[in-house]
Amino acid sequence: MPTKPSIYEPEHEDFRATARAFLDKEVAPHHEQWEKDGIVPREVWAKAGEAGLLCFDVPEEYGGPGIDDFRFNAVLTEEITRIGASGLGFSLHNDIVVPYLNTLGTDEQKRRWLPGCVSGETITAIAMTEPGAGSDLQGVRTTAVDKGDHYLLNGSKIFITNGINADLVVVVAKTDPEKGAHGISLLVVERGMEGFSRGRNLDKMGLKAQDTAELVFEDVVVPKENLLGELNGGFVHLMTELPRERVSVATIAVAAIERVLELCLDYAKTREAFGRPIGAFQNTRFVLAEMATEAHIARVFVNDCITKLNAGEVDTSLASMAKWWTTELQKKIVDAGVQIHGGYGYMNEYPIAKAYVDSRIQTIYGGTTEIQKEIIGRFLGV
Ligand SMILES: Cc1cc2nc3c(=O)[nH]c(=O)nc-3n(C[C@H](O)[C@H](O)[C@H](O)COP(=O)(O)OP(=O)(O)OC[C@H]3O[C@@H](n4cnc5c(N)ncnc54)[C@H](O)[C@@H]3O)c2cc1C
């Protein structure tokens, strides 16, 4: 077999060992209970912060290690995926929301918010989607009306990851409804603000330990100091940051694909039918050969995206390609993996069953496959 293409250096492998030790001790033994609870306890975030697993790119002056290298994020994702800990919202926090604060925040905002994000005392979320607007972000109806020294925020959001645990929520709202995409801004809503409440922790088919919630804003007074980035510049900010989110989802996909391949190889070598291991049947071998080939292609592709992201060269269409292609591949491979496991693949006690339900959302959140293809199509000039 070809060796797995790697972009990691010794320091990334050292970090992997730290992450693995943490996850094996603090997460793996408890995840099943958290799935029943529908949420990961906040203390786990604080412990992860203490172990140095949160917000690597936050500069030292704001309490972080100041290492702007997405390979660390990818290693953490691989280790989380290795144990199937799909409830941890760390990648949303590390890869997506905190970079918004870090990139767009003023010095004062960063001083106020980032140290808690690094220590795990502050958990973050981003609230774009609404009951009436998901793919069509310009259709958001949440409004933030200028009242002099503050904005008055009204509206509701749905499907928000870390929605119950979140202390800071980056909310997409219309500040100038007449101006369409150019009238959208990002506001940071903080836990405890009057009029900010959480709806249901939603009952999902997978990602059972992740708190995905509805959020409600009723006349929330958001001080002007909590405007993130430019007034009416929210759409441009989202377009700038979304490629990173899409590479992050692709790193989850490739890690999940590699795990499914491993699970299936183990199973095919040990499960017997008709007096031989099922891996001895040509069909099983062919399926595994296809999985191994596609896993290799996906890894090369995602490694390239991570390298480009680090160099500031990842463009929107490349990130969209990585997002739709790796997540659709993940869905296909995990489905084939269940088939290899036969009836046991349908049993929740087998990790492949959980990998199957957890995979289904991957082609939907972070922009659906169809939306990614629309974006790529625009770049193709058609
Ligand atoms: C578990 C989970 C976690 C999530 N986390 C977050 C989060 O943290 N923050 C957040 O803001 N959102 C989050 N979401 C929301 C997610 O991003 C949206 O569900 C997603 O963007 C799709 O929006 P929608 O559900 O409104 O579907 P719709 O936009 O209604 O789409 C329905 C179908 O129509 C298709 N479609 C829509 N427009 C087009 C078009 N122009 N061309 C072709 N096809 C089209 C879509 O591809 C899809 O197949 C999460 C969702 C889930 C389930």
Side-chain angles (χ1 to χ4, degrees):
M1 280 293 290
T3 45
K4 189 166 130 182
S6 177
I7 47 173
Y8 302 131
E9 291 170 44
E11 63 262 34
H12 301 104
E13 297 305 338
D14 289 348
F15 175 70
R16 183 188 300 286
T18 305
R20 186 170 290 193
F22 175 86
L23 293 166
D24 284 348
K25 178 164 176 261
E26 302 291 352
V27 175
H30 311 292
H31 202 267
E32 204 175 317
Q33 182 58 45
W34 301 341
E35 288 181 9
K36 292 188 185 117
D37 301 341
I39 196 161
V40 171
R42 294 180 60 88
E43 305 86 78
V44 180
W45 285 78
K47 286 182 185 170
E50 212 172 297
L53 302 189
L54 302 178
C55 310
F56 327 102
D57 52 348
V58 167
E60 284 177 21
E61 55 187 309
Y62 305 118
I67 304 167
D68 193 4
D69 177 354
F70 198 79
R71 288 177 290 180
F72 289 100
N73 303 52
V75 165
L76 182 59
T77 294
E78 285 169 26
E79 290 305 308
I80 289 173
T81 307
R82 186 184 68 87
I83 58 162
S86 56
L88 292 177
F90 294 172
S91 73
L92 181 94
H93 181 76
N94 283 351
D95 303 2
I96 300 166
V97 191
V98 174
Y100 273 89
L101 304 177
N102 206 4
T103 315
L104 300 171
T106 61
D107 182 52
E108 182 276 324
Q109 289 174 332
K110 293 197 235 189
R111 280 187 200 291
R112 207 155 29 110
W113 293 325
L114 290 180
C117 295
V118 177
S119 71
E121 278 150 54
T122 304
I123 299 171
T124 61
I126 183 156
M128 298 179 259
T129 308
E130 300 184 356
S135 303
D136 179 15
L137 264 181
Q138 294 186 38
V140 298
R141 291 169 63 177
T142 296
T143 53
V145 178
D146 191 333
K147 295 284 182 186
D149 64 342
H150 66 272
Y151 296 100
L152 203 59
L153 184 70
N154 278 288
S156 66
K157 299 286 177 179
I158 195 164
F159 306 146
I160 306 309
T161 303
N162 297 340
I164 300 292
N165 268 337
D167 304 288
L168 295 180
V169 185
V170 176
V171 178
V172 176
K174 287 234 159 109
T175 30
D176 194 341
E178 306 294 306
K179 285 200 195 148
H182 301 292
I184 289 175
S185 302
L186 306 178
L187 297 181
V188 178
V189 172
E190 302 183 37
R191 176 183 287 280
M193 283 183 170
E194 209 173 317
F196 168 34
S197 61
R198 327 224 175 197
R200 288 175 302 152
N201 187 359
L202 299 161
D203 181 15
K204 307 183 291 298
M205 72 160 85
L207 307 184
K208 286 287 190 185
Q210 196 169 93
D211 51 316
T212 310
E214 296 171 319
L215 305 180
V216 180
F217 309 103
E218 284 171 308
D219 286 336
V220 182
V221 173
V222 182
K224 287 239 163 120
E225 299 83 74
N226 282 26
L227 173 72
L228 187 65
E230 296 293 317
L231 179 65
N232 295 329
F235 200 72
V236 174
H237 294 323
L238 290 168
M239 293 307 114
T240 313
E241 294 293 322
L242 281 173
R244 186 182 175 98
E245 170 168 0
R246 288 168 183 158
V247 172
S248 167
V249 176
T251 61
I252 299 174
V254 71
I257 289 166
E258 288 166 351
R259 175 166 182 255
V260 168
L261 174 62
E262 256 177 49
L263 292 173
C264 291
L265 277 175
D266 285 350
Y267 196 75
K269 285 174 189 168
T270 50
R271 172 72 179 173
E272 295 206 348
F274 297 94
R276 66 181 87 163
I278 58 165
F281 298 117
Q282 190 188 50
N283 179 67
T284 315
R285 282 210 311 279
F286 278 17
V287 172
L288 290 169
E290 287 169 20
M291 274 187 190
T293 308
E294 289 172 324
H296 191 92
I297 297 168
R299 174 52 70 185
V300 172
F301 186 6
V302 170
N303 281 355
D304 180 53
C305 291
I306 293 171
T307 304
K308 290 203 165 84
L309 188 68
N310 271 352
E313 289 166 4
V314 81
D315 71 42
T316 304
S317 61
L318 183 73
S320 289
M321 287 176 187
K323 202 275 172 180
W324 88 258
W325 190 79
T326 58
T327 56
E328 291 291 342
L329 181 66
Q330 178 187 356
K331 246 169 53 183
K332 187 182 92 168
I333 285 185
V334 76
D335 186 60
V338 171
Q339 192 71 15
I340 284 180
H341 281 71
Y344 296 94
Y346 201 65
M347 297 297 121
N348 280 330
E349 65 196 271
Y350 278 73
I352 190 75
K354 203 155 76 70
Y356 180 79
V357 284
D358 285 348
S359 70
R360 191 59 191 87
I361 187 57
Q362 284 270 92
T363 60
I364 297 172
Y365 59 16
T368 63
T369 291
E370 294 75 23
I371 293 301
Q372 305 309 324
K373 290 181 182 173
E374 279 295 332
I375 292 168
I376 298 162
R378 275 205 296 279
F379 276 81
L380 292 173
V382 287

